[in-house]
Amino acid sequence: MSLDKTLPPAPPLLQGKKALVVGIANEHSIAYGCAKAFHELGADLAITYINDKSKPFVAPLAQDLQTTIFMPLDVSQPGQLEALFAEIEKKWGRLDILVHSIAFAPKADLQGGLLNCSAEGFAQAMDISCHSFIRMAKLAAPLMSEGGSMFAMSYHGANEVAPNYNVMGPVKAALEASCRYLAYELGRQGIRVHPISPGPLKTRAASGLKDFDLLLNEAVQRAPLGEQVDIMDVGFTCAFLATPYARRLTGSTVYVDGGVNIMA
C-alpha cells in the first residue's frame, strides 16, 4: 500500500498574531498595504482613523479586513494614544506587530524650504512624524511580552537630499535614528524595530510634496528593476520581517524601492 506523502497546507505565517496599523487614510495608503498583507497571512488587526472626516474612507477597508479594533487616533490629541492601547490590552492582552505610518508638516513649512521652516512647524513635524513613534513604542513594549516587531515608515530623503523634501528630510533622519536606538533598548525583550524606506508612492501624504510626479518618474527610471513599487510590496516586506524567518534582523533601514537606493 502506498503512503500519501502529501503534506497538509502550512498555516498562514502570522496566524493568531495581533497587529496594530496606524496611518490608513484610504486604499492608497502604505499602511493599508501593510494591514492587507498581515490579514492575508492570518493576523488579527487593530486599525485607526485620524478623525470623523477620514472615518468614512477607512471604515470600509477595516470591515473588509475583518478588523477587531477600530478606533480614532490623532497623536496630537492628548489621551487618544493611551485609550487605544488600553483597548488593545483589554481585548487582546498582548500585541505582536506595530506599524507607524504617519507624517505631517504644515504646508507652508513643508513647501518653503528648510531655511524658511518655522520653529513651530519643525516641532510639529518632529512630534507627529517621529516622537509619536517613540510614544507608541513605550506603550506597545509591555504588551509584547513574547517579543514583537515595530515598523516606522521613512524615505531615502532621510539619508540623501531629495529636492522638495525639505523639512521632512531631517525629520525622517531622526525617525531612522530613533528606530536604531529603540532596537537597541528593546532587543533584550525580543522586540525588533525597523525603519522601512519605500520608494515614491502616490499616497495622500505625498501629494503635499512639490513636483512629486517628477520624483516618481525619476525613481522608476533609475531603479535597477525598472518598476514602480506599490503598497503591497511594502506590506509583504513588513509581513516577512514580522515572521520568525527574520528573527535575527533588527535596527537596519530596509529599502523597498526597486534598488534606487544603490544608485549613485
Side-chain angles (χ1 to χ4, degrees), residues 50-259:
I50 190 169
N51 53 33
D52 289 341
K53 184 178 179 180
S54 70
K55 186 177 181 179
F57 297 96
V58 185
L61 305 177
Q63 185 174 4
D64 289 344
L65 296 174
Q66 300 175 318
T67 300
T68 304
I69 298 171
F70 184 58
M71 292 181 64
L73 177 63
D74 180 343
V75 295
S76 67
Q77 296 300 312
Q80 287 196 8
L81 193 58
E82 290 76 10
L84 171 63
F85 278 90
E87 182 66 13
I88 290 173
E89 184 173 16
K90 177 183 175 182
K91 281 201 172 179
W92 285 343
R94 72 175 217 271
L95 187 66
D96 302 293
I97 301 166
L98 166 64
V99 173
H100 174 285
S101 185
I102 55 176
F104 175 80
K107 187 174 181 179
D109 296 290
L110 177 62
Q111 296 187 347
L114 188 58
L115 282 176
N116 295 317
C117 181
S118 68
E120 295 79 11
F122 192 95
Q124 188 175 15
M126 187 69 76
D127 181 66
I128 293 175
S129 310
C130 178
H131 193 261
S132 66
F133 178 60
I134 300 173
R135 300 198 300 274
M136 285 185 199
K138 184 175 183 178
L139 293 168
L143 297 175
M144 293 183 171
S145 57
E146 298 181 6
S149 305
M150 300 182 182
F151 304 100
M153 296 301 152
S154 185
Y155 177 62
H156 193 49
N159 308 112
E160 295 186 358
V161 175
N164 299 318
Y165 203 51
N166 302 334
V167 65
M168 292 310 298
V171 170
K172 292 293 189 180
L175 179 64
E176 291 194 13
S178 298
C179 287
R180 290 190 290 270
Y181 276 85
L182 290 173
Y184 167 72
E185 292 185 19
L186 296 172
R188 295 299 176 91
Q189 297 174 229
I191 299 172
R192 298 178 292 110
V193 186
H194 279 292
I196 307 296
S197 187
L201 287 162
K202 286 188 175 181
T203 63
R204 192 177 74 171
S207 66
L209 297 175
K210 184 180 177 182
D211 296 330
F212 176 75
D213 285 340
L214 297 176
L215 186 68
L216 182 66
N217 292 334
E218 182 186 8
V220 174
Q221 293 171 4
R222 296 183 64 228
L225 292 180
E227 296 178 337
Q228 181 184 340
V229 299
D230 59 37
I231 60 173
M232 294 310 298
D233 294 325
V234 183
F236 282 119
T237 297
C238 291
F240 159 70
L241 290 169
T243 70
Y245 292 118
R247 62 185 181 179
R248 297 294 183 263
L249 303 181
T250 193
S252 58
T253 299
V254 178
Y255 290 93
V256 189
D257 64 358

